[in-house]
Amino acid sequence: MSNESEADEAEQDAADETAADVDETPDADEAEAETEETEEATGLQNGDFIELDYTARTVEGGDLVDTTDPEVAEEEGVGEDQEFSPRTIVLGEGHVFGEVEEDIIGSEVGDSGTVTVPAEEAFGEFDDDQVRTISADRIPEDDRYPGAHVDIDGEHGHINTIIGGRARVDFNHPLAGEDIEYEWEVLDEVTDREARAGALLDVFLDMDLEVWFETDTVEEEQLVESDEDDEDEDDEEESEPEYETVEVEKETLYIEATPQLTMNQQWMMGKQQIAQQLTQLLDIDRIIVQEELGGMGMMGGMGGMMGGMGGGGAELEEALEDEDIDAEEIVEELEGAEE
């Protein structure tokens, strides 16, 4: 081989090595992105429970939409029968509009801010097709006037005009087409477990219920795993699964049952969904709704949750003794009545 050929080959090898080095060098943007991913997030994040104070108004007219501030409510003359106070919410769970959550993420307790939620992300754009003319006969007589709120075929709307036997009804949300401005302040981070549970129930049901946590030991049937040797011997023949009773600890949320809870529509219609969210957000195993009757605890299971009955025979005998009642005489009288 000539010296000239060797030189050419050496130059080519050097060029290949340089190209390889360039290919292996990460792009500046990619390197920056990787660095950002490795950095730990600071401030409040999704999943955090916070106590939030806020006031929301329409951008165009400054009309009050919602507030947690009693002074603002009093100034606006709204909600005389309502109680206004800061709300406990869970970031990332949609308890407030997404734009508000995004503005809060990364902030600290004591921080405040203002964010505008566009109409399409708030109560929707105004849809002309949702303003329809219907027969006035479909509206109760007491509601046949402009401004009245009506429900027609499962749709809620308000009457714009009513002339003769025809009514013009707007089925858009009253705030459709309005951009909403939120002023918010994070007052505190909620870490107490009972406060968290109570706050979630208030969000779901608008009720203040007594709650508490207990770690219960319960018996549970578990599948017995067979040895590999046994599996090889019984490979041709399927064996019945074996179960054993073991004691396990269950982290339990107890909720005191009240007549108001029993009659609550959200509770009656969505207790399973509420239970699922509570178990996930509070990291618990089960929920028990407990009702106390006459000093004896009665616990009713919630949907697929665990349940039982408290109060034993010993307590009943003590109660009878306190009232100077002979239990044996009661049994004899009941047996005589059956005969």
Side-chain angles (χ1 to χ4, degrees):
M1 179 180 294
S2 67
N3 292 336
E4 195 173 283
S5 298
E6 290 177 358
D8 292 342
E9 186 175 344
E11 288 179 7
Q12 183 62 43
D13 290 342
D16 292 341
E17 289 177 5
T18 302
D21 291 340
V22 171
D23 290 340
E24 291 175 1
T25 303
D27 182 84
D29 293 337
E30 292 178 1
E32 185 178 349
E34 289 177 3
T35 303
E36 290 178 356
E37 289 178 1
T38 56
E39 290 180 358
E40 290 188 7
T42 58
L44 297 169
Q45 299 297 318
N46 286 336
D48 289 340
F49 286 68
I50 62 169
E51 187 177 357
L52 185 68
D53 196 18
Y54 64 83
T55 294
R57 298 179 183 273
T58 60
V59 172
E60 186 174 344
D63 299 322
L64 183 66
V65 175
D66 192 12
T67 186
T68 59
D69 191 334
E71 293 183 2
V72 172
E74 184 177 358
E75 289 174 1
E76 296 286 342
V78 298
E80 295 181 358
D81 298 329
Q82 291 179 255
E83 182 178 343
F84 295 87
S85 61
R87 287 183 61 196
T88 297
I89 67 165
V90 186
L91 291 174
E93 293 299 318
H95 297 159
V96 292
F97 289 121
E99 284 73 14
V100 181
E101 288 184 326
E102 291 173 8
D103 206 44
I104 295 173
I105 294 296
S107 65
E108 305 283 351
V109 172
D111 288 350
S112 59
T114 301
V115 60
T116 297
V117 182
E120 60 269 21
E121 300 298 332
F123 300 99
E125 296 283 10
F126 188 87
D127 185 356
D128 291 330
D129 292 336
Q130 291 298 314
V131 183
R132 302 192 292 270
T133 300
I134 65 171
S135 172
D137 293 338
R138 301 176 64 186
I139 302 173
E141 289 188 18
D142 293 342
D143 295 329
R144 294 178 187 173
Y145 59 90
H149 287 263
V150 294
D151 292 295
I152 307 294
D153 297 334
E155 290 186 280
H156 185 76
H158 62 275
I159 299 175
N160 283 346
T161 58
I162 184 165
I163 302 175
R166 311 294 288 175
R168 191 71 169 163
V169 182
D170 184 356
F171 291 100
N172 285 288
H173 189 282
L175 292 170
E178 294 278 5
D179 296 334
I180 309 297
E181 184 180 81
Y182 268 79
E183 294 182 359
W184 58 265
E185 180 181 2
V186 179
L187 301 182
D188 199 4
E189 184 173 1
V190 180
T191 56
D192 181 78
R193 299 182 72 198
E194 292 183 2
R196 287 183 168 190
L200 286 173
L201 288 168
D202 185 42
V203 169
F204 297 144
L205 305 172
D206 193 23
M207 298 184 68
D208 183 14
L209 297 169
E210 183 177 349
V211 298
W212 65 97
F213 290 89
E214 291 184 13
T215 301
D216 300 328
T217 302
V218 299
E219 291 186 347
E220 189 175 89
E221 294 292 319
Q222 290 188 357
L223 179 65
V224 178
E225 295 183 2
S226 57
D227 296 333
E228 292 183 4
D229 295 338
D230 295 339
E231 289 180 2
D232 294 338
E233 293 176 3
D234 302 334
D235 189 31
E236 297 181 359
E237 183 179 347
E238 291 187 6
S239 58
E240 291 291 331
E242 295 182 16
Y243 293 88
E244 63 179 351
T245 302
V246 297
E247 289 188 344
V248 296
E249 290 187 343
K250 296 284 188 181
E251 192 68 14
T252 307
L253 168 65
Y254 284 85
I255 303 173
E256 183 184 18
T258 64
Q260 291 80 10
L261 175 63
T262 305
M263 300 302 295
N264 185 282
Q265 289 188 353
Q266 286 89 348
W267 176 253
M268 290 189 291
M269 300 297 293
K271 64 174 65 176
Q272 293 288 358
Q273 291 82 357
I274 293 172
Q276 184 177 4
Q277 292 185 66
L278 287 171
T279 53
Q280 290 175 349
L281 294 172
L282 298 172
D283 192 22
I284 55 177
D285 298 309
R286 62 179 189 166
I287 298 170
I288 291 179
V289 181
Q290 178 169 290
E291 182 179 14
E292 184 170 334
L293 301 173
M296 296 173 61
M298 175 175 289
M299 296 183 290
M302 180 173 64
M305 300 296 103
M306 301 293 292
M309 177 174 287
E315 294 180 359
L316 179 59
E317 291 179 3
E318 291 177 4
L320 292 173
E321 288 177 2
D322 292 340
E323 297 296 330
D324 194 21
I325 298 174
D326 192 332
E328 294 183 0
E329 290 182 3
I330 295 177
V331 173
E332 291 176 359
E333 290 179 7
L334 290 174
E335 291 176 348
E338 290 177 357
E339 294 175 359

